[in-house]
Amino acid sequence: MPATDRVGDARDTGTAAGANARPAPARLMQMVLHAMAAKSVYAAAELGLADLLGERPRTTAELAELTGAHGPSLRRLLLALAGLGLVTQTGMDRFELTEFGRPLRKDAPNSIRDLVRMMCGPAVWRSWDELVPSVRTGEPAWDLAHGVTWLEYYAREPEEAATFNRAMAEHTRDTAPGVLAAADLSRFGTVVDVGGGDGTLISHVLRAHPGVRGVVFDVPTGLAATATTLAAAGVASRCQVVSGDFFVSVPAGADAYLLKQILHDWDDERATAILRTVRAAVPPGGRLFVIERAVPEQVTPGDPAETRDLLLDLHMLVATGGRERTEGEFGRLLEAAGFEITRLTALPRFDFRVIEATPA
């Protein structure tokens, strides 16, 4: 049984038949329990349990000593994690990491430890507490919860900003192969990754295409680990790191520009402003690649992928005041900023679209 099915019997909501298999109150309560499951996974990530159990099975007493946790309470967490499928109880008080729990290791090739720590951590969840006021007013819940925007918050909290940047890198790592398959970037001399963070995406581009040079452009806090990432990928000599504000300007004259999950952070007015800044930098014959998740024009009840995307759209309202968009909405944004779509490729994983556009 897939571990995702263990969380509140999520398979009951995945199909029309499953949705009708249990009374509505029971199914609604299972959705509430999903939040408790998420916080349990967060606790495992924050305590580093997967890293400790990845070495060998351990007892509660061993884990309590290594983490500084209260033994009896830690055992209750471990039992819940066993129920969720992240660990296996191999004895009355001995636990072993499962394959499903392995991505919580910080050194796992498919690690999402920091993505979990960011998405389920106190700062984001405090913002979700303001969802109702956010829906009533249209203001980002983050601003209501913290008194500052998400960018201002991370600028003053360097440790949390580092977690955020690593979380974004984890997600980019998973999406990069699909992006490279959809966008033929080998034809360009220089590619600029606008809002490129720690350089994970441009590193994939440059490793795949040895003849291409790159530029990573972001705010200073986003670039804290970029040099390290580029050096580890062996592409530092072919990539320039530039800090700045994409509402003001971006490096001009490159052959191609990437905007991966940048527009979804902003409302339509500011997303258009970013696109116009990029439009001013793109030379004749240059290309823009927008890489974003696309939500449906009309919802299909019970579709797990659509539900995920729509919940992530709500998350953007909560965290940044931005939004996920439909294909049509992306077309209208690009047209308003002076671009014309020449190609749109759907990536099945994550429901992403790679939208290639040229100056109109």
Side-chain angles (χ1 to χ4, degrees), residues 23-316:
R27 286 186 282 117
L28 287 169
M29 192 61 209
Q30 293 295 351
M31 292 182 183
V32 174
L33 290 173
H34 285 202
M36 300 178 191
K39 291 302 282 185
S40 299
V41 175
Y42 164 77
E46 192 68 17
L47 291 168
L49 296 178
D51 295 301
L52 297 172
L53 290 172
E55 299 170 1
R56 60 178 176 81
R58 296 183 187 271
T59 64
T60 300
E62 290 177 299
L63 291 168
E65 182 177 357
L66 290 166
T67 60
H70 177 246
S73 300
L74 179 60
R75 186 172 189 275
R76 293 165 71 176
L77 172 62
L78 288 163
L79 291 172
L81 296 173
L84 294 170
L86 277 73
V87 303
T88 298
Q89 188 179 12
T90 59
M92 283 300 295
D93 194 37
R94 194 173 185 82
F95 298 89
E96 182 176 1
L97 188 67
T98 65
E99 191 64 28
F100 179 52
R102 195 163 297 278
L104 289 181
R105 284 184 62 110
K106 63 183 177 182
D107 62 351
N110 60 344
S111 175
I112 58 166
R113 178 174 182 264
D114 284 299
L115 195 56
V116 170
R117 292 178 66 218
M118 185 271 291
M119 290 288 288
C120 298
V124 169
W125 278 56
R126 194 176 306 129
S127 301
W128 273 92
D129 286 342
E130 300 297 330
L131 177 60
V132 172
S134 182
V135 169
R136 284 178 171 153
T137 65
E139 294 184 60
W142 187 287
D143 299 24
L144 296 172
H146 299 286
V148 293
T149 68
W150 63 286
L151 288 174
E152 292 167 331
Y153 177 88
Y154 284 126
R156 75 183 189 190
E157 301 288 345
E159 289 188 13
E160 292 196 47
T163 299
F164 174 84
N165 290 334
R166 288 193 299 268
M168 296 301 97
E170 288 170 355
H171 191 265
T172 298
R173 174 206 65 212
D174 289 343
T175 58
V179 172
L180 289 175
D184 177 15
L185 300 175
S186 65
R187 54 194 155 128
F188 303 113
T190 303
V191 176
V192 179
D193 189 1
V194 179
D198 81 333
T200 294
L201 181 57
I202 203 71
S203 292
H204 279 79
V205 172
L206 298 183
R207 288 178 67 179
H209 306 302
V212 176
R213 300 190 66 83
V215 178
V216 180
F217 178 82
D218 210 325
V219 295
T221 53
L223 298 171
T226 309
T228 301
T229 300
L230 297 174
V235 298
S237 64
R238 290 191 286 129
C239 192
Q240 184 181 5
V241 179
V242 180
S243 66
D245 181 350
F246 51 43
F247 287 108
V248 178
S249 67
V250 301
D255 303 295
Y257 291 77
L258 308 179
L259 280 173
K260 179 193 170 290
Q261 286 190 289
I262 299 300
L263 301 182
H264 80 157
D265 287 332
W266 306 97
D267 60 24
D268 286 353
E269 180 181 354
R270 285 178 285 187
T272 303
I274 294 168
L275 288 170
R276 285 178 175 152
T277 302
V278 175
R279 173 65 184 84
V282 178
R287 292 289 190 277
L288 167 65
F289 294 86
V290 173
I291 303 140
E292 292 276 0
R293 181 175 282 107
V295 294
E297 297 280 357
Q298 186 169 349
V299 177
T300 304
D303 184 304
E306 285 189 7
T307 300
R308 173 201 62 199
D309 294 346
L310 293 166
L311 287 172
L312 288 170
D313 173 54
L314 205 56
H315 173 71
M316 300 316 298

